[in-house]
PDB file of all heavy atoms in Angstrom:
ATOM      1  N   VAL T1551     -13.145  -2.083   5.241  1.00 98.00           N
ATOM      2  CA  VAL T1551     -11.758  -2.413   5.576  1.00 98.00           C
ATOM      3  C   VAL T1551     -11.546  -2.528   7.091  1.00 98.00           C
ATOM      4  O   VAL T1551     -10.420  -2.683   7.541  1.00 98.00           O
ATOM      5  CB  VAL T1551     -10.784  -1.357   5.019  1.00 98.00           C
ATOM      6  CG1 VAL T1551     -10.899  -1.279   3.494  1.00 98.00           C
ATOM      7  CG2 VAL T1551     -11.044   0.013   5.629  1.00 98.00           C
ATOM      8  N   HIS T1552     -12.627  -2.447   7.837  1.00 98.00           N
ATOM      9  CA  HIS T1552     -12.482  -2.407   9.297  1.00 98.00           C
ATOM     10  C   HIS T1552     -11.795  -3.651   9.853  1.00 98.00           C
ATOM     11  O   HIS T1552     -11.051  -3.578  10.806  1.00 98.00           O
ATOM     12  CB  HIS T1552     -13.830  -2.223   9.968  1.00 98.00           C
ATOM     13  CG  HIS T1552     -14.859  -3.203   9.536  1.00 98.00           C
ATOM     14  ND1 HIS T1552     -15.575  -3.066   8.372  1.00 98.00           N
ATOM     15  CD2 HIS T1552     -15.269  -4.385  10.073  1.00 98.00           C
ATOM     16  CE1 HIS T1552     -16.406  -4.099   8.231  1.00 98.00           C
ATOM     17  NE2 HIS T1552     -16.229  -4.901   9.259  1.00 98.00           N
ATOM     18  N   HIS T1553     -12.062  -4.809   9.225  1.00 98.00           N
ATOM     19  CA  HIS T1553     -11.446  -6.033   9.748  1.00 98.00           C
ATOM     20  C   HIS T1553      -9.931  -6.018   9.555  1.00 98.00           C
ATOM     21  O   HIS T1553      -9.173  -6.446  10.413  1.00 98.00           O
ATOM     22  CB  HIS T1553     -12.044  -7.266   9.086  1.00 98.00           C
ATOM     23  CG  HIS T1553     -12.011  -7.233   7.586  1.00 98.00           C
ATOM     24  ND1 HIS T1553     -12.642  -6.262   6.832  1.00 98.00           N
ATOM     25  CD2 HIS T1553     -11.389  -8.042   6.680  1.00 98.00           C
ATOM     26  CE1 HIS T1553     -12.422  -6.493   5.545  1.00 98.00           C
ATOM     27  NE2 HIS T1553     -11.655  -7.552   5.432  1.00 98.00           N
ATOM     28  N   ILE T1554      -9.516  -5.481   8.408  1.00 98.00           N
ATOM     29  CA  ILE T1554      -8.072  -5.417   8.138  1.00 98.00           C
ATOM     30  C   ILE T1554      -7.390  -4.543   9.184  1.00 98.00           C
ATOM     31  O   ILE T1554      -6.375  -4.899   9.767  1.00 98.00           O
ATOM     32  CB  ILE T1554      -7.814  -4.864   6.712  1.00 98.00           C
ATOM     33  CG1 ILE T1554      -8.457  -5.798   5.679  1.00 98.00           C
ATOM     34  CG2 ILE T1554      -6.336  -4.674   6.459  1.00 98.00           C
ATOM     35  CD1 ILE T1554      -8.368  -5.270   4.240  1.00 98.00           C
ATOM     36  N   LEU T1555      -7.993  -3.393   9.458  1.00 98.00           N
ATOM     37  CA  LEU T1555      -7.373  -2.423  10.360  1.00 98.00           C
ATOM     38  C   LEU T1555      -7.555  -2.825  11.831  1.00 98.00           C
ATOM     39  O   LEU T1555      -6.684  -2.556  12.655  1.00 98.00           O
ATOM     40  CB  LEU T1555      -7.943  -1.036  10.068  1.00 98.00           C
ATOM     41  CG  LEU T1555      -7.664  -0.571   8.616  1.00 98.00           C
ATOM     42  CD1 LEU T1555      -8.541   0.617   8.241  1.00 98.00           C
ATOM     43  CD2 LEU T1555      -6.199  -0.222   8.416  1.00 98.00           C
ATOM     44  N   THR T1556      -8.645  -3.479  12.138  1.00 98.00           N
ATOM     45  CA  THR T1556      -8.868  -3.962  13.500  1.00 98.00           C
ATOM     46  C   THR T1556      -7.797  -4.986  13.885  1.00 98.00           C
ATOM     47  O   THR T1556      -7.378  -5.052  15.035  1.00 98.00           O
ATOM     48  CB  THR T1556     -10.272  -4.598  13.615  1.00 98.00           C
ATOM     49  OG1 THR T1556     -11.240  -3.574  13.365  1.00 98.00           O
ATOM     50  CG2 THR T1556     -10.507  -5.199  14.994  1.00 98.00           C
ATOM     51  N   GLY T1557      -7.351  -5.737  12.887  1.00 98.00           N
ATOM     52  CA  GLY T1557      -6.326  -6.729  13.151  1.00 98.00           C
ATOM     53  C   GLY T1557      -4.943  -6.153  13.397  1.00 98.00           C
ATOM     54  O   GLY T1557      -4.036  -6.884  13.773  1.00 98.00           O
ATOM     55  N   MET T1558      -4.788  -4.844  13.205  1.00 98.00           N
ATOM     56  CA  MET T1558      -3.461  -4.255  13.297  1.00 98.00           C
ATOM     57  C   MET T1558      -3.210  -3.592  14.652  1.00 98.00           C
ATOM     58  O   MET T1558      -3.754  -2.536  14.949  1.00 98.00           O
ATOM     59  CB  MET T1558      -3.283  -3.236  12.159  1.00 98.00           C
ATOM     60  CG  MET T1558      -3.308  -3.938  10.808  1.00 98.00           C
ATOM     61  SD  MET T1558      -3.246  -2.816   9.401  1.00 98.00           S
ATOM     62  CE  MET T1558      -3.056  -4.045   8.091  1.00 98.00           C
ATOM     63  N   PRO T1559      -2.354  -4.197  15.440  1.00 98.00           N
ATOM     64  CA  PRO T1559      -2.048  -3.644  16.753  1.00 98.00           C
ATOM     65  C   PRO T1559      -1.494  -2.223  16.622  1.00 98.00           C
ATOM     66  O   PRO T1559      -0.682  -1.947  15.737  1.00 98.00           O
ATOM     67  CB  PRO T1559      -0.978  -4.587  17.290  1.00 98.00           C
ATOM     68  CG  PRO T1559      -1.191  -5.880  16.552  1.00 98.00           C
ATOM     69  CD  PRO T1559      -1.639  -5.461  15.191  1.00 98.00           C
ATOM     70  N   GLY T1560      -1.936  -1.360  17.508  1.00 98.00           N
ATOM     71  CA  GLY T1560      -1.485   0.030  17.488  1.00 98.00           C
ATOM     72  C   GLY T1560      -2.524   0.983  16.970  1.00 98.00           C
ATOM     73  O   GLY T1560      -2.444   2.183  17.203  1.00 98.00           O
ATOM     74  N   LEU T1561      -3.489   0.445  16.240  1.00 98.00           N
ATOM     75  CA  LEU T1561      -4.572   1.299  15.713  1.00 98.00           C
ATOM     76  C   LEU T1561      -5.811   1.153  16.592  1.00 98.00           C
ATOM     77  O   LEU T1561      -6.070   0.095  17.149  1.00 98.00           O
ATOM     78  CB  LEU T1561      -4.933   0.897  14.285  1.00 98.00           C
ATOM     79  CG  LEU T1561      -3.853   0.969  13.231  1.00 98.00           C
ATOM     80  CD1 LEU T1561      -4.386   0.450  11.905  1.00 98.00           C
ATOM     81  CD2 LEU T1561      -3.330   2.395  13.081  1.00 98.00           C
ATOM     82  N   LYS T1562      -6.575   2.227  16.668  1.00 99.00           N
ATOM     83  CA  LYS T1562      -7.937   2.140  17.198  1.00 99.00           C
ATOM     84  C   LYS T1562      -8.881   2.287  16.003  1.00 99.00           C
ATOM     85  O   LYS T1562      -8.573   3.034  15.068  1.00 99.00           O
ATOM     86  CB  LYS T1562      -8.185   3.262  18.211  1.00 99.00           C
ATOM     87  CG  LYS T1562      -7.339   3.113  19.479  1.00 99.00           C
ATOM     88  CD  LYS T1562      -7.553   4.289  20.418  1.00 99.00           C
ATOM     89  CE  LYS T1562      -6.824   4.081  21.740  1.00 99.00           C
ATOM     90  NZ  LYS T1562      -6.895   5.303  22.588  1.00 99.00           N
ATOM     91  N   VAL T1563      -9.997   1.615  16.029  1.00 98.00           N
ATOM     92  CA  VAL T1563     -10.898   1.634  14.888  1.00 98.00           C
ATOM     93  C   VAL T1563     -12.327   1.965  15.321  1.00 98.00           C
ATOM     94  O   VAL T1563     -12.892   1.303  16.185  1.00 98.00           O
ATOM     95  CB  VAL T1563     -10.876   0.281  14.143  1.00 98.00           C
ATOM     96  CG1 VAL T1563     -11.815   0.311  12.933  1.00 98.00           C
ATOM     97  CG2 VAL T1563      -9.464  -0.080  13.716  1.00 98.00           C
ATOM     98  N   VAL T1564     -12.860   3.013  14.707  1.00 98.00           N
ATOM     99  CA  VAL T1564     -14.161   3.555  15.082  1.00 98.00           C
ATOM    100  C   VAL T1564     -15.121   3.480  13.899  1.00 98.00           C
ATOM    101  O   VAL T1564     -14.730   3.809  12.768  1.00 98.00           O
ATOM    102  CB  VAL T1564     -14.012   5.026  15.536  1.00 98.00           C
ATOM    103  CG1 VAL T1564     -15.332   5.591  16.020  1.00 98.00           C
ATOM    104  CG2 VAL T1564     -12.934   5.136  16.611  1.00 98.00           C
ATOM    105  N   MET T1565     -16.366   3.049  14.149  1.00 98.00           N
ATOM    106  CA  MET T1565     -17.345   2.911  13.061  1.00 98.00           C
ATOM    107  C   MET T1565     -18.705   3.460  13.475  1.00 98.00           C
ATOM    108  O   MET T1565     -19.632   2.705  13.759  1.00 98.00           O
ATOM    109  CB  MET T1565     -17.507   1.426  12.697  1.00 98.00           C
ATOM    110  CG  MET T1565     -16.247   0.759  12.250  1.00 98.00           C
ATOM    111  SD  MET T1565     -16.545  -1.003  11.872  1.00 98.00           S
ATOM    112  CE  MET T1565     -17.355  -0.886  10.283  1.00 98.00           C
ATOM    113  N   PRO T1566     -18.854   4.773  13.485  1.00 98.00           N
ATOM    114  CA  PRO T1566     -20.105   5.343  13.959  1.00 98.00           C
ATOM    115  C   PRO T1566     -21.268   5.021  13.013  1.00 98.00           C
ATOM    116  O   PRO T1566     -21.076   4.977  11.805  1.00 98.00           O
ATOM    117  CB  PRO T1566     -19.828   6.840  13.983  1.00 98.00           C
ATOM    118  CG  PRO T1566     -18.760   7.040  12.981  1.00 98.00           C
ATOM    119  CD  PRO T1566     -17.923   5.808  13.018  1.00 98.00           C
ATOM    120  N   SER T1567     -22.445   4.828  13.603  1.00 98.00           N
ATOM    121  CA  SER T1567     -23.603   4.530  12.755  1.00 98.00           C
ATOM    122  C   SER T1567     -24.664   5.619  12.789  1.00 98.00           C
ATOM    123  O   SER T1567     -25.630   5.552  12.050  1.00 98.00           O
ATOM    124  CB  SER T1567     -24.222   3.194  13.180  1.00 98.00           C
ATOM    125  OG  SER T1567     -24.836   3.336  14.452  1.00 98.00           O
ATOM    126  N   THR T1568     -24.488   6.615  13.639  1.00 98.00           N
ATOM    127  CA  THR T1568     -25.477   7.699  13.729  1.00 98.00           C
ATOM    128  C   THR T1568     -24.768   9.045  13.862  1.00 98.00           C
ATOM    129  O   THR T1568     -23.619   9.104  14.293  1.00 98.00           O
ATOM    130  CB  THR T1568     -26.376   7.546  14.976  1.00 98.00           C
ATOM    131  OG1 THR T1568     -25.545   7.774  16.152  1.00 98.00           O
ATOM    132  CG2 THR T1568     -27.003   6.177  15.074  1.00 98.00           C
ATOM    133  N   PRO T1569     -25.460  10.133  13.528  1.00 98.00           N
ATOM    134  CA  PRO T1569     -24.875  11.468  13.723  1.00 98.00           C
ATOM    135  C   PRO T1569     -24.465  11.696  15.175  1.00 98.00           C
ATOM    136  O   PRO T1569     -23.393  12.254  15.453  1.00 98.00           O
ATOM    137  CB  PRO T1569     -26.007  12.399  13.311  1.00 98.00           C
ATOM    138  CG  PRO T1569     -26.825  11.602  12.325  1.00 98.00           C
ATOM    139  CD  PRO T1569     -26.761  10.192  12.816  1.00 98.00           C
ATOM    140  N   GLU T1570     -25.279  11.250  16.087  1.00 98.00           N
ATOM    141  CA  GLU T1570     -24.933  11.405  17.520  1.00 98.00           C
ATOM    142  C   GLU T1570     -23.600  10.729  17.836  1.00 98.00           C
ATOM    143  O   GLU T1570     -22.740  11.305  18.508  1.00 98.00           O
ATOM    144  CB  GLU T1570     -26.046  10.815  18.400  1.00 98.00           C
ATOM    145  CG  GLU T1570     -25.662  10.774  19.867  1.00 98.00           C
ATOM    146  CD  GLU T1570     -26.798  10.351  20.790  1.00 98.00           C
ATOM    147  OE1 GLU T1570     -27.931  10.170  20.302  1.00 98.00           O
ATOM    148  OE2 GLU T1570     -26.537  10.216  22.006  1.00 98.00           O
ATOM    149  N   ASP T1571     -23.469   9.522  17.335  1.00 98.00           N
ATOM    150  CA  ASP T1571     -22.214   8.794  17.608  1.00 98.00           C
ATOM    151  C   ASP T1571     -21.043   9.412  16.875  1.00 98.00           C
ATOM    152  O   ASP T1571     -19.912   9.417  17.378  1.00 98.00           O
ATOM    153  CB  ASP T1571     -22.371   7.323  17.228  1.00 98.00           C
ATOM    154  CG  ASP T1571     -23.188   6.557  18.276  1.00 98.00           C
ATOM    155  OD1 ASP T1571     -23.627   7.174  19.242  1.00 98.00           O
ATOM    156  OD2 ASP T1571     -23.371   5.336  18.082  1.00 98.00           O
ATOM    157  N   VAL T1572     -21.288   9.926  15.675  1.00 98.00           N
ATOM    158  CA  VAL T1572     -20.205  10.598  14.959  1.00 98.00           C
ATOM    159  C   VAL T1572     -19.628  11.689  15.842  1.00 98.00           C
ATOM    160  O   VAL T1572     -18.407  11.773  16.043  1.00 98.00           O
ATOM    161  CB  VAL T1572     -20.696  11.225  13.634  1.00 98.00           C
ATOM    162  CG1 VAL T1572     -19.700  12.240  13.107  1.00 98.00           C
ATOM    163  CG2 VAL T1572     -20.955  10.147  12.591  1.00 98.00           C
ATOM    164  N   ARG T1573     -20.496  12.515  16.391  1.00 98.00           N
ATOM    165  CA  ARG T1573     -20.000  13.637  17.183  1.00 98.00           C
ATOM    166  C   ARG T1573     -19.282  13.177  18.445  1.00 98.00           C
ATOM    167  O   ARG T1573     -18.176  13.617  18.742  1.00 98.00           O
ATOM    168  CB  ARG T1573     -21.129  14.615  17.498  1.00 98.00           C
ATOM    169  CG  ARG T1573     -21.464  15.507  16.287  1.00 98.00           C
ATOM    170  CD  ARG T1573     -22.664  16.403  16.480  1.00 98.00           C
ATOM    171  NE  ARG T1573     -22.507  17.438  17.508  1.00 98.00           N
ATOM    172  CZ  ARG T1573     -21.828  18.572  17.355  1.00 98.00           C
ATOM    173  NH1 ARG T1573     -21.230  18.809  16.217  1.00 98.00           N
ATOM    174  NH2 ARG T1573     -21.744  19.443  18.345  1.00 98.00           N
ATOM    175  N   GLY T1574     -19.890  12.273  19.148  1.00 98.00           N
ATOM    176  CA  GLY T1574     -19.282  11.819  20.397  1.00 98.00           C
ATOM    177  C   GLY T1574     -17.988  11.064  20.169  1.00 98.00           C
ATOM    178  O   GLY T1574     -17.009  11.220  20.927  1.00 98.00           O
ATOM    179  N   LEU T1575     -17.963  10.237  19.143  1.00 98.00           N
ATOM    180  CA  LEU T1575     -16.775   9.415  18.898  1.00 98.00           C
ATOM    181  C   LEU T1575     -15.657  10.204  18.241  1.00 98.00           C
ATOM    182  O   LEU T1575     -14.472   9.976  18.506  1.00 98.00           O
ATOM    183  CB  LEU T1575     -17.144   8.204  18.025  1.00 98.00           C
ATOM    184  CG  LEU T1575     -18.076   7.164  18.689  1.00 98.00           C
ATOM    185  CD1 LEU T1575     -18.645   6.205  17.637  1.00 98.00           C
ATOM    186  CD2 LEU T1575     -17.353   6.394  19.792  1.00 98.00           C
TER     187      LEU T1575
END
Side-chain angles (χ1 to χ4, degrees):
Chain T
V1551 300
H1552 53 278
H1553 54 299
I1554 299 175
L1555 299 164
T1556 297
M1558 295 175 172
L1561 300 176
K1562 293 177 174 173
V1563 180
V1564 184
M1565 300 179 76
S1567 70
T1568 67
E1570 172 173 355
D1571 284 2
V1572 164
R1573 282 175 65 78
L1575 293 166

